[in-house]
Each structure stands twice: as C-alpha cells, then as structure tokens.
Amino acid sequence: PIIQYGELLPNVRSQYMEQYNLSVEYQLSHSMVVSAAYVGNQGHHLLGSYDANHGDPNVCTQVNADLGAGTCGPGGEDTAYQLPSGQTLYGTRPFGAFANNGLPGNSGGQEDYVDVIAIDTIAQSSYNSGQFRLERRSKGLSFLASYTFSKALDNASGFQNLLNPYCYKCDMGLSSFDARHHFIFSYTYELPLKRFAPSSGLRQKLIDGWEIGGIYNYQSGSPIFINDSGDDQSLQGSFDGFNPPDRPDLVGPVDKL
C-alpha cells in the first residue's frame, strides 16, 4: 500500500522513539489516592514524503528573466521553454531535461517526468504532558478522575504528509491528533438495596449486588490543517494525492467561535 502513494527509498534509517516519565503518588485516606505525572516522548527518523522531482522556482524566475515576465508561473513546471540561446528547457523539474525522446507528454509537448513522491525517514515528533489522577476505591462508591494537559508536535502525522523539500523542519506544527485537554471520569456505585431484605433468602439474592456506573470522556478538538491546493504559488507542481506543499499565509486575525 505504501508504494501506491510513493516510492520507499532503499536507504531509510531505523525509526526509534525515546520515552520518559516521572510520577508521584500520595494516599489521602485508606480508600483515596492522588497522583501527578510528567510523560513525554520523542520520535526520530519517522516516515514522511516529499517530491524528489519538484519544480525549481529559481529556474522559473530565470525563464521569466530571459523570455519575459509571466512566461513561467504556477503550473508551468511541465512546460517546454525555448530559450534565446536556442536551448529547449523541458520544464523546471530536475529530471525534465532527460525527457527528450519525442514521445507526447501530459503537457501537450514532449514526454516529461512529473511528481516523483519519495517516502523517507525525514520526520520527527515530540509529546509532552502533565497527567493527574484522583482515585477512590470502596465497597459503596468507587471512581477514577483523570486529567491530561498535553501538546503533540510533528512535521508529518503520517507518511502521506507532503513536506517542503527545501526545509523539512519548516512543516513542524501541532500533530493532527493533538488534544490539549483530556478529562475522563468513571464510577461505579453499589445500590443500597440489601436493607430492603435484611434476612438471607431468595429476595436478598435477587436485589443484592446491583450497581450503576458510567464513563464520561471530554477532550478538546483536533487541529485543522489548512492547505492551498489550487494556486501553486510555490512553483513546485507537487501533489501526492493527499495535500500539496503550498501553505497559506496568515495575514489577519483569526475569529474563534
């Protein structure tokens, strides 16, 4: 399945993760315990994708300098350009110059190489959290309340994330699964029905031992990944079927609901 979305390079490095934690626990009473912990990890050499045959913006700029402004622009990575020197430039991709074989291509001219999506161990991640727990165990009422405040960062939450080929670390940001706040409360309560049948017998067996319980789970929302799939302002012409390399710029305030 990986090969369907890109080529797994033969020289990938071993992926590994460092995990660390520190916790303290205090017994408040014979039935209640409170604890606090710091938990973190770092991932190294994780899988990420990039276009190994992306358009070169510098070549596009040079084409405009030679042939006039606007000659090369967004979407022009696979266009043939006739330079004043008589040289034919088959697009702005590094592998395009080797496509002079006379076969028709996707741009209407000669055949050219387009995206070459490579999957390599170029991603990294980090996770840091403070975790707090209050637990009570007793015959009548037992409960567990836990709260986690965390932050997860990476530059590829999956191998399908297309990274900036000029700067892999520039795509570092919140993980797609980051949840800043996470609270869970679970409980069980033994119903006091035994008192309605103080003597042993069938009646007591039928009503004794009944419990009610529940689990409540609350967490903050996941980050929203915003990309620009239509402008090709990066002049790279890359797309792996999931997201383009272009990233929109924040030019004004963000209104939160």
Side-chain angles (χ1 to χ4, degrees):
I2 291 179
I3 303 303
Q4 181 179 358
Y5 302 112
E7 300 298 331
L8 189 64
L9 298 185
N11 58 342
V12 294
R13 304 177 66 178
S14 297
Q15 305 175 61
Y16 69 94
M17 179 170 289
E18 301 169 334
Q19 298 178 324
Y20 33 83
N21 65 82
L22 175 65
S23 63
V24 293
E25 186 175 276
Y26 182 75
Q27 185 172 351
L28 299 175
S29 66
H30 71 281
S31 63
M32 191 170 297
V33 174
V34 63
S35 66
Y38 164 74
V39 178
N41 62 62
Q42 292 187 26
H44 304 274
H45 307 312
L46 307 179
L47 289 180
S49 301
Y50 70 98
D51 186 1
N53 193 34
H54 59 84
D56 188 341
N58 295 322
V59 174
C60 189
T61 301
Q62 186 60 46
V63 168
N64 288 332
D66 293 340
L67 302 180
T71 303
C72 178
E77 295 84 6
D78 304 308
T79 300
Y81 302 98
Q82 188 71 38
L83 302 181
S85 62
Q87 175 189 3
T88 300
L89 185 65
Y90 296 100
T92 63
R93 302 180 188 271
F95 303 147
F98 302 105
N100 188 13
N101 52 23
L103 298 177
N106 64 345
S107 60
Q110 292 181 323
E111 183 185 32
D112 48 33
Y113 294 93
V114 289
D115 304 55
V116 179
I117 304 301
I119 301 177
D120 201 356
T121 48
I122 55 177
Q124 57 187 342
S125 68
S126 68
Y127 173 81
N128 295 279
S129 68
Q131 302 180 8
F132 308 92
R133 178 174 63 94
L134 177 64
E135 184 175 7
R136 183 180 191 272
R137 294 182 181 181
S138 66
K139 186 177 180 181
L141 174 65
S142 297
F143 66 82
L144 173 63
S146 63
Y147 169 72
T148 299
F149 177 73
S150 64
K151 187 175 185 179
L153 297 171
D154 61 44
N155 58 343
S157 295
F159 72 89
Q160 72 275 10
N161 293 132
L162 194 63
L163 303 185
N164 183 344
Y166 294 104
C167 178
Y168 303 138
K169 294 183 179 180
C170 292
D171 283 320
M172 200 73 178
L174 293 177
S175 303
S176 60
F177 49 82
D178 175 74
R180 191 61 49 87
H181 305 279
H182 194 181
F183 176 76
I184 300 177
F185 180 77
S186 61
Y187 71 94
T188 58
Y189 176 65
E190 183 179 353
L191 298 176
L193 302 177
K194 189 176 181 179
R195 61 183 179 180
F196 297 107
S199 60
S200 61
L202 178 61
R203 183 180 178 184
Q204 186 185 78
K205 292 181 180 180
L206 289 176
I207 66 175
D208 189 24
W210 288 88
E211 296 180 343
I212 59 174
I215 300 177
Y216 299 89
N217 190 346
Y218 304 92
Q219 74 173 41
S220 52
S222 302
I224 298 176
F225 181 76
I226 301 176
N227 57 36
D228 188 351
S229 60
D231 293 337
D232 188 32
Q233 294 300 317
S234 65
L235 302 178
Q236 297 181 24
S238 302
F239 187 62
D240 65 348
F242 293 96
N243 54 55
D246 288 27
R247 305 290 186 262
D249 292 329
L250 180 64
V251 296
V254 177
D255 295 327
K256 298 182 180 180
L257 299 179

